[in-house]
Amino acid sequence: QIHHIEVLSGAASRVLGPNAYAGAINFVSPKPKSNLLDISIGVGDFGSINTSVGISIKKNKLSHFLSAGYSSSKGYTDNTDFKRYSLFYFGEYNSGGGDLSWQFAFSDKSFGANSFYTPKYPNQYEQLRNIFGGVKYKTKGKISTLTQLHYRANIDRFELFRDAYETPIWYKHHNYHFNQVFQLSSKAWLWTAIGKTTLAANIRNESILSNVLGNTMNDTIPALFDKEGYYNKSDNRLYATLSGEHVYTINNLKIAAGLMYYYYPNTNSNSGFFPGFDLSYRLSNHWKAFAGINTGMRLPTFTDLYYSGPSNIGNPDLIAESQVSYELGSSVSYSVFKMDINVFVNQAHNSIDWVRKADTLKWQPINITEVSSRGFDVSFELNPKNMGLKWINSMTVKWSYLHKETSSPDYQSHYVMDYLKNKIVIGVNHKVYKNISISYLFHYHQREGEYLYYNSIDNTTLPMEYKPYGLLDVRLNWKYNQWHIYADISNMLDVKYQDYGNLIQPGRWFSIGARKKIDL
């Protein structure tokens, strides 16, 4: 269902609008090129199963892609089981005047959320249903345009005590939420002798119905997909953006500058301008350098504004957070190796974080005055085949480093100052025999900050620092024609580790799978 993934790092509101606070990730669906049937199945430890079937149909100017999937597991420990159903459809019509595409997606996932939100109550459970639909029309000509309309709905039921097991007297109901997003965006761009000029407009509406989040309604509405649930709170926000960008290229120099104006008719949020500037210079056919200064912003979520629970309380006075990103980097590419390095400094204003001053107080989100981040990303890829090592397919090393400082050191941070400080990934793939290969992937993680270790015996918490850990994953591959068969060993060294908070992760586990493509 995913052809490739695009990652844009750094603040990017001038290009992608509000909430592109620290970048964006774009999942690109496959475009059918022929009539093809794609079937896959995988099984593994903990009763895990993962299956999918997809069909691509292309005829003249019209193409379709339809995929359905199912996955489930009994869980690697108590209350970590899950079931997931998914359906995805993509269609496209290409004509001389323009290209029209449309898509629809549905997913239903239910899972045991052991200790995820609080270790004090480990028997948590959640069910999420997600619906997405969108249509896009792109024209070509002296002035090109792109218009998109999309709708997204999320229906959520959260149980602090799964199946009402040993429910205390103070627990009155499960949490029910129904979020909806409508968005319409349009942009036009023109190529002239002085470069490419783009103008864009976007309008977005976000709404919620809930029995926990929002303002109290006069009426009570039955919850979707649940006879026992109801909604008696709601909220809605509508905002718009206007943006412009110009890209100018002269010889090996490329300059891009733009500006977004964000308008939100709400007294608790600051409308304003968010500019950005990027510069790149190609020193040779193999070496490019770049620099940029960009801004981004993010609205507080409905959870930030309204959530109230046993250990949390919302803050309806939150304002949007913003960030200025300074970036400098270089990319070198030859036939035998490729290297990318990126150094950045981020200055965040009014950052939203859940904090508290003492263990006796509840967590509450506040706007921290200043948060400063600095770090770098380094990536090195080796092509051994061009060095005469034909039995090695690839070798990669990646290192990401991050350091943060805050102007509010007296608070205990739940999110902002809890971050991955060092991440190192080393990958090797080599041939074994003919179409058989093995890939190794080693991860090293060092997380900064601390979490509250929960002692279930005496019901107490103790601040604990995160311990660094290293993981090794191994995959055996066999590929021939349209067949792909694999066997995985995840966490081969059977490391006991916690990725976040009190959440113990699985040890060594095995899985096998097969994928077959059939030309129709």
Side-chain angles (χ1 to χ4, degrees):
Q1 298 168 344
I2 298 173
H3 181 264
H4 66 276
I5 300 173
E6 300 171 339
V7 179
L8 176 65
S9 62
S13 285
R14 93 165 196 262
V15 178
L16 298 172
N19 300 324
Y21 178 70
I25 302 175
N26 185 32
F27 298 89
V28 182
S29 56
K31 293 187 176 182
K33 297 181 179 180
S34 62
N35 297 337
L36 188 71
L37 182 65
D38 193 341
I39 304 172
S40 68
I41 183 170
V43 295
D45 283 339
F46 318 121
S48 301
I49 183 170
N50 186 15
T51 63
S52 69
V53 58
I55 185 170
S56 303
I57 298 175
K58 182 173 179 61
K59 186 176 182 180
N60 298 327
K61 300 179 180 180
L62 187 63
S63 59
H64 305 274
F65 173 71
L66 177 64
S67 177
Y70 168 80
S71 60
S72 65
S73 173
K74 296 179 181 178
Y76 62 90
T77 188
D78 293 339
N79 197 37
T80 57
D81 59 306
F82 73 86
K83 288 184 179 179
R84 180 177 60 206
Y85 305 87
S86 64
L87 181 68
F88 177 74
Y89 166 75
F90 172 83
E92 186 174 42
Y93 179 76
N94 304 112
S95 67
D99 298 331
L100 177 67
S101 63
W102 56 96
Q103 59 181 312
F104 170 81
F106 171 79
S107 68
D108 185 339
K109 181 176 181 180
S110 54
F111 55 95
N114 186 330
S115 302
F116 187 80
Y117 297 99
T118 170
K120 190 174 182 179
Y121 309 111
N123 201 35
Q124 301 162 50
Y125 179 81
E126 194 160 8
Q127 183 169 17
L128 301 168
R129 294 181 175 93
N130 193 276
I131 301 170
F132 176 86
V135 60
K136 178 172 67 176
Y137 184 65
K138 182 178 181 180
T139 65
K140 305 171 184 177
K142 186 175 181 180
I143 299 179
S144 302
T145 65
L146 176 64
T147 302
Q148 300 180 87
L149 173 66
H150 84 250
Y151 169 78
R152 186 175 190 267
N154 192 78
I155 302 100
D156 176 18
R157 182 181 84 250
F158 172 72
E159 303 177 13
L160 188 60
F161 300 92
R162 185 173 185 174
D163 300 326
Y165 177 72
E166 295 184 351
T167 305
I169 192 171
W170 54 263
Y171 186 74
K172 303 300 182 183
H173 54 74
H174 302 320
N175 294 354
Y176 298 91
H177 313 292
F178 176 33
N179 292 83
Q180 296 183 88
V181 174
F182 292 90
Q183 181 163 314
L184 174 64
S185 60
S186 183
K187 67 178 180 180
W189 59 95
L190 170 68
W191 288 93
T192 63
I194 59 172
K196 179 185 177 182
T197 303
T198 303
L199 297 175
N202 176 75
I203 186 168
R204 180 182 175 99
N205 188 84
E206 302 171 354
S207 65
I208 187 171
L209 293 173
S210 173
N211 64 345
V212 178
L213 308 177
N215 301 306
T216 302
M217 299 189 299
N218 295 325
D219 300 323
T220 298
I221 303 173
L224 296 174
F225 301 107
D226 200 306
K227 295 180 180 179
E228 298 179 0
Y230 62 91
Y231 310 125
N232 63 351
K233 298 178 183 295
S234 67
D235 197 7
N236 185 86
R237 58 191 186 194
L238 176 71
Y239 53 89
T241 63
L242 293 173
S243 61
E245 183 183 52
H246 185 75
V247 180
Y248 177 68
T249 303
I250 177 171
N251 298 326
N252 294 328
L253 178 65
K254 182 178 180 181
I255 303 172
L259 181 73
M260 179 196 78
Y261 177 71
Y262 157 77
Y263 176 68
Y264 181 29
N266 185 300
T267 56
N268 288 344
S269 289
N270 51 335
S271 302
F273 292 95
F274 293 86
F277 174 83
D278 289 301
L279 179 72
S280 66
Y281 184 77
R282 185 166 293 280
L283 300 162
S284 68
N285 292 333
H286 306 285
W287 189 8
K288 182 179 73 172
F290 60 88
I293 304 175
N294 288 284
T295 54
M297 58 84 66
R298 184 180 76 87
L299 289 169
T301 66
F302 291 128
T303 300
D304 294 331
L305 296 172
Y306 298 112
Y307 183 73
S308 179
S311 57
N312 302 274
I313 183 172
N315 183 359
D317 296 323
L318 291 171
I319 62 175
E321 57 185 342
S322 60
Q323 180 170 266
V324 181
S325 297
Y326 305 89
E327 187 178 23
L328 181 67
S330 179
S331 177
V332 181
S333 179
Y334 287 91
S335 60
V336 294
F337 78 92
K338 178 182 179 182
M339 184 175 69
D340 295 285
I341 183 169
N342 177 35
V343 181
F344 60 86
V345 175
N346 300 327
Q347 297 291 337
H349 308 279
N350 298 317
S351 291
I352 298 172
D353 191 15
W354 287 74
V355 301
R356 67 180 184 179
K357 282 192 173 182
D359 293 347
T360 56
L361 300 177
K362 291 187 175 183
W363 295 93
Q364 185 177 31
I366 65 170
N367 286 108
I368 300 174
T369 305
E370 299 282 344
V371 176
S372 176
S373 307
R374 61 182 183 270
F376 60 80
D377 296 301
V378 178
S379 173
F380 183 83
E381 301 179 22
L382 195 63
N383 189 349
K385 291 184 178 180
N386 291 338
M387 301 173 61
L389 302 175
K390 296 184 177 181
W391 64 281
I392 301 180
N393 297 323
S394 64
M395 299 177 65
T396 61
V397 178
K398 298 181 181 181
W399 181 16
S400 295
Y401 170 81
L402 178 64
H403 175 75
K404 287 187 176 184
E405 296 177 351
T406 177
S407 61
S408 304
D410 296 335
Y411 290 101
Q412 183 179 357
S413 172
H414 200 42
Y415 293 111
V416 170
M417 299 308 293
D418 188 332
Y419 61 93
L420 197 60
K421 189 179 187 71
N422 278 292
K423 179 181 179 182
I424 300 174
V425 180
I426 302 173
V428 178
N429 179 279
H430 68 84
K431 288 185 177 181
V432 177
Y433 178 73
K434 291 186 177 181
N435 299 311
I436 301 175
S437 65
I438 293 182
S439 59
Y440 311 88
L441 201 61
F442 177 79
H443 313 248
Y444 173 80
H445 289 196
Q446 180 194 5
R447 180 172 287 276
E448 188 75 5
E450 61 181 26
Y451 66 98
L452 293 177
Y453 171 75
Y454 178 72
N455 190 331
S456 59
I457 298 177
D458 56 7
N459 196 30
T460 59
T461 58
L462 179 67
M464 298 282 288
E465 292 185 352
Y466 289 99
K467 296 180 180 180
Y469 61 88
L471 303 176
L472 177 63
D473 300 329
V474 180
R475 165 171 282 195
L476 177 66
N477 289 286
W478 178 74
K479 293 182 178 181
Y480 181 72
N481 290 338
Q482 302 281 34
W483 276 99
H484 178 201
I485 298 176
Y486 63 89
D488 286 340
I489 305 177
S490 300
N491 191 4
M492 186 176 184
L493 303 179
D494 198 24
V495 175
K496 303 295 187 294
Y497 71 102
Q498 292 166 253
D499 181 59
Y500 180 76
N502 289 269
L503 306 180
I504 301 296
Q505 299 299 307
R508 182 189 303 113
W509 60 287
F510 304 87
S511 62
I512 59 173
R515 182 178 182 183
K516 172 65 174 176
K517 294 182 179 181
I518 304 172
D519 293 322
L520 300 178

